[in-house]
Amino acid sequence: MQVIDAHVHFWQLDQGNQPWLERPSPNLLGDYSPMAHDVGPAELRRQRGDIELLGAVHVEADAVDPVQETRWLATLDDAGHPPLPSALVIGADLSAPGAARTLEEQLEQSEKVRGVRQILNVHEAPQFDYVGRHYMSEPAWRDNFRLLARHDLSFDLQIYPSQMAQAAALAAEHPDTRFLLNHAGMYVDRQGVEGWRAWRDGLRELAARDNVAVKLSGFGMLDHHWTVGSIRPLILEAIDAFGVERSLFASNFPVDGLYARYADIWHAYAEIVADASPDERRALFVDNARRLYRLAPHT
């Protein structure tokens, strides 16, 4: 089974760049202390089981100093083939006065930089609220967002359904910037039908913008006891909204390793789309990640 994993995280704790891992405090992930250790390409290869990993996209891991994180990632001595990571989605605070220079510094660290992620999740429930600010409403953030198109960078969009309408408007304002919705839009409000409708309708509002794609990943974060049956309707709903050509699978390694083994995650995905054609499966597991993150043809 061949895949390009479109969402992984690495870290080295003695750098002091991920304090949230150095002092684990239970949150929406539950007790995440089992992943509070160094994680890199070798660990990913050890855990892959029977999955043939053709490449992997590293997404920023909430580092205090994102430039330092990128500098470290660029120096990883990975003897594997293909070398991992294959592409980098770097961190940047687009609300900061120095955002323009930060992006330039990030691009100086590695030729593998393809995009930016700044987590935007806001929720009225404290256990789900990541940032406590509505960045998409802030003029400075919106002004700096324009820098992404200037540098040909995509944006990994991590939000909740309540933020999807505003994100769709942002995507409409920036048709030359590619958006990748993280973790299938994080269907968080699961009590009653209204939460499902908000997520479903928000997906379609985002999908109406042809510069938005969806990453099918992170299901364990909000469903720690997921099964093929519980994630099937989410995956099929998302693919129905975005189409096969704008959907791609990812593992959210090592975070979703708290809830399932790496290979089991991929085999669950394969089971859910078993009725798809070979070309459709190739797109979902390999080709869309390669195209959307502009990976080398041999990746």
Side-chain angles (χ1 to χ4, degrees):
M1 182 177 178
Q2 294 183 326
V3 310
I4 293 176
D5 193 337
H7 200 106
V8 306
H9 305 289
F10 301 147
W11 46 68
Q12 185 173 314
L13 297 190
D14 64 8
Q15 296 183 343
N17 215 4
Q18 272 89 15
W20 63 279
L21 277 165
E22 296 169 36
R23 298 179 293 276
S25 177
N27 56 18
L28 67 85
L29 299 177
D31 176 14
Y32 61 86
S33 60
M35 67 178 189
H37 56 83
D38 292 353
V39 177
E43 178 71 14
L44 175 55
R45 293 184 193 281
R46 280 194 297 270
Q47 293 196 25
R48 68 183 175 86
D50 64 344
I51 304 302
E52 185 179 350
L53 198 58
L54 301 181
V57 177
H58 183 278
V59 178
E60 62 87 26
D62 200 15
V64 173
D65 184 342
V67 176
Q68 178 188 336
E69 178 183 52
T70 306
R71 186 180 301 119
W72 170 71
L73 289 163
T75 62
L76 285 179
D77 183 15
D78 177 31
H81 300 284
L84 302 177
S86 312
L88 303 177
V89 176
I90 54 92
D93 181 1
L94 298 178
S95 72
R101 180 55 191 151
T102 296
L103 287 177
E104 290 170 0
E105 284 186 82
Q106 291 280 38
L107 288 164
E108 290 167 2
Q109 306 308 314
S110 174
E111 63 183 13
K112 294 182 179 180
V113 175
R114 295 292 184 270
V116 171
R117 181 176 78 162
Q118 182 174 4
I119 292 175
L120 305 178
N121 297 88
V122 177
H123 199 280
E124 61 184 9
Q127 70 268 32
F128 298 125
D129 187 27
Y130 277 68
V131 296
R133 292 171 61 178
H134 294 275
Y135 282 110
M136 287 187 288
S137 296
E138 297 183 12
W141 190 93
R142 296 175 66 86
D143 285 344
N144 284 326
F145 192 88
R146 302 178 189 280
L147 297 168
L148 273 61
R150 184 182 305 172
H151 293 294
D152 194 21
L153 296 170
S154 62
F155 187 69
D156 263 49
L157 178 68
Q158 185 166 316
I159 55 173
Y160 289 128
S162 61
Q163 300 171 274
M164 288 179 175
Q166 188 175 21
L170 182 71
E173 292 171 19
H174 299 274
D176 295 329
T177 298
R178 180 181 297 112
F179 291 71
L180 291 105
L181 179 64
N182 283 193
H183 308 323
M186 297 188 73
Y187 167 42
V188 63
D189 298 310
R190 300 187 176 217
Q191 303 303 314
V193 70
E194 289 306 315
W196 171 269
R197 287 174 177 164
W199 173 77
R200 178 200 63 192
D201 295 347
L203 282 186
R204 277 162 172 72
E205 194 163 359
L206 283 167
R209 311 311 313 176
D210 59 13
N211 56 327
V212 183
V214 61
K215 276 200 270 194
L216 306 169
S217 61
F219 298 102
M221 292 196 300
L222 296 166
D223 180 2
H224 299 174
H225 306 286
W226 68 267
T227 63
V228 170
S230 71
I231 68 173
R232 184 191 304 273
L234 304 181
I235 288 173
L236 296 182
E237 190 74 34
I239 293 175
D240 188 59
F242 283 87
V244 168
E245 68 280 2
R246 287 190 288 146
S247 303
L248 59 162
F249 284 115
S251 74
N252 195 30
F253 170 88
V255 179
D256 270 60
L258 295 168
Y259 323 110
R261 292 186 303 176
Y262 187 81
D264 291 344
I265 293 171
W266 288 104
H267 286 295
Y269 295 159
E271 180 177 343
I272 290 167
V273 297
D275 291 338
S277 72
D279 285 347
E280 288 172 331
R281 290 196 298 273
R282 179 79 181 179
L284 291 166
F285 288 98
V286 175
D287 290 344
N288 291 347
R290 178 184 288 130
R291 171 174 53 85
L292 293 168
Y293 284 112
R294 294 177 288 129
L295 304 182
H298 61 271
T299 303

